[in-house]
Amino acid sequence: QSTWGSNASRDGMTLPALVLVSQFVLGNDCIFEIDNHKFDLSEVAKAAGKQGIQIIDSGGTQSVYHIGPCQSITAPSSSHYGCNSHKCPAWEVNYLGYCYCLGQTMYREASLPSKKQSFQLQVQYHLGDTSGSHSRSVAYQFYCAESDETPEISQQPSQVLAYQVKWPTKSVCGVSESSEMSVAETLVITVGVSLVAYFGLGILYNYKVQKLSGLDLIPNRSFWTELPGLVKDGISFTITFVQSHTSSRVPIDSNDSGAVRLTDNTN
């Protein structure tokens, strides 16, 4: 879930700034909490380190990529053209030595897959370095695997300057459910604790102050003794009330067939 907010300036261009809905825990950029699912990529980030993982594209671009799963990584060597201090999770250095940020960590959104998709978590980073009127972006797709494997990166042919990273990792397997409780669970716990406190303190008071013993220790014993009878009377009254309103019928004359009698007024 995300919304677009105020404009931000990048390289002389005015671009919309992405304002993220709280989908991750503040204070740790590698923990994501979405729809009661909690993902922790801290171990993957630790293994990648500040320099990130280096991937060499053996295809036509001959680019070298430096990527981290969720944190900003150090820009490649300053000997490359265009490397700057952007907070980027991924960098590309092409065969000419030009350096590009593929997206900024402050402009990101996380989502769960649809039923047709096989990955467990997707994290997208926006507003990377621009070329012409387009800015770069990168989408990380994390797959469940028995161990952490080397990710693969490619450009998405259907989008301009959009990259995709497929990252197999054990960190997204068996994702833990969020600890948030529903309203019903909260109500049950509150009522349960209240009853325990009521009877516990009541018994202690009757024992210490009133000097009672046995069943007389129960606070308001007469009320609790009469409660089953009161509940039974309430149920009986409700049943009688419902039956009296559903079984009432307007009496019908047995001689009335319901036909309309026509009167001859010609005489």
Side-chain angles (χ1 to χ4, degrees):
Q1 303 291 334
S2 61
T3 55
W4 289 93
S6 59
N7 290 340
S9 177
R10 279 294 308 276
D11 298 337
M13 299 179 60
T14 301
L15 298 172
L18 185 63
V19 180
L20 299 180
V21 176
S22 58
Q23 294 181 330
F24 53 91
V25 178
L26 295 178
N28 191 334
D29 289 344
C30 292
I31 296 180
F32 300 82
E33 191 168 342
I34 312 170
D35 295 340
N36 295 328
H37 291 79
K38 186 177 181 180
F39 300 87
D40 189 349
L41 301 177
S42 300
E43 291 299 320
V44 185
K46 183 178 179 181
K50 295 182 179 180
Q51 303 295 328
I53 296 177
Q54 179 176 296
I55 303 175
I56 300 176
D57 183 8
S58 59
T61 64
Q62 299 297 317
S63 294
V64 177
Y65 298 93
H66 303 262
I67 64 174
C70 46
Q71 80 282 25
S72 298
I73 61 174
T74 304
S77 171
S78 59
S79 60
H80 299 295
Y81 302 103
C83 292
N84 48 42
S85 59
H86 289 324
K87 294 183 177 180
C88 297
W91 295 88
E92 176 189 10
V93 179
N94 66 14
Y95 71 100
L96 294 176
Y98 287 96
C99 184
Y100 300 99
C101 170
L102 302 187
Q104 298 187 61
T105 53
M106 68 179 67
Y107 301 113
R108 73 175 185 179
E109 55 182 339
S111 60
L112 297 176
S114 64
K115 293 181 179 180
K116 296 181 179 180
Q117 297 170 314
S118 58
F119 58 86
Q120 277 64 47
L121 171 68
Q122 177 169 275
V123 183
Q124 294 179 284
Y125 296 90
H126 303 273
L127 297 183
D129 285 333
T130 60
S131 291
S133 60
H134 299 281
S135 63
R136 287 170 171 78
S137 65
V138 59
Y140 287 75
Q141 294 179 348
F142 296 95
Y143 295 80
C144 175
E146 295 183 357
S147 60
D148 292 341
E149 302 177 12
T150 303
E152 298 179 357
I153 187 169
S154 60
Q155 293 194 37
Q156 301 184 45
S158 60
Q159 301 181 40
V160 179
L161 299 180
Y163 299 76
Q164 183 181 76
V165 175
K166 294 183 177 181
W167 201 316
T169 174
K170 60 184 179 182
S171 295
V172 295
C173 301
V175 175
S176 59
E177 292 290 333
S178 173
S179 58
E180 293 183 1
M181 293 187 297
S182 65
V183 175
E185 292 173 332
T186 303
L187 180 62
V188 170
I189 292 176
T190 302
V191 172
V193 172
S194 300
L195 288 175
V196 171
Y198 169 80
F199 282 104
L201 295 176
I203 291 174
L204 181 63
Y205 174 82
N206 288 338
Y207 178 77
K208 291 290 187 179
V209 179
Q210 300 295 335
K211 305 300 182 182
L212 301 178
S213 62
L215 295 178
D216 291 333
L217 289 172
I218 301 175
N220 297 316
R221 178 188 172 191
S222 59
F223 168 77
W224 296 108
T225 303
E226 297 174 358
L227 182 60
L230 295 174
V231 173
K232 181 179 179 181
D233 292 342
I235 294 175
S236 299
F237 173 79
T238 303
I239 294 175
T240 302
F241 178 82
V242 173
Q243 289 178 342
S244 64
H245 283 73
T246 56
S247 60
S248 299
R249 296 290 186 271
V250 178
I252 301 176
D253 187 352
S254 59
N255 295 326
D256 187 1
S257 62
V260 178
R261 179 177 294 178
L262 298 178
T263 303
D264 186 0
N265 296 323
T266 57
N267 294 329

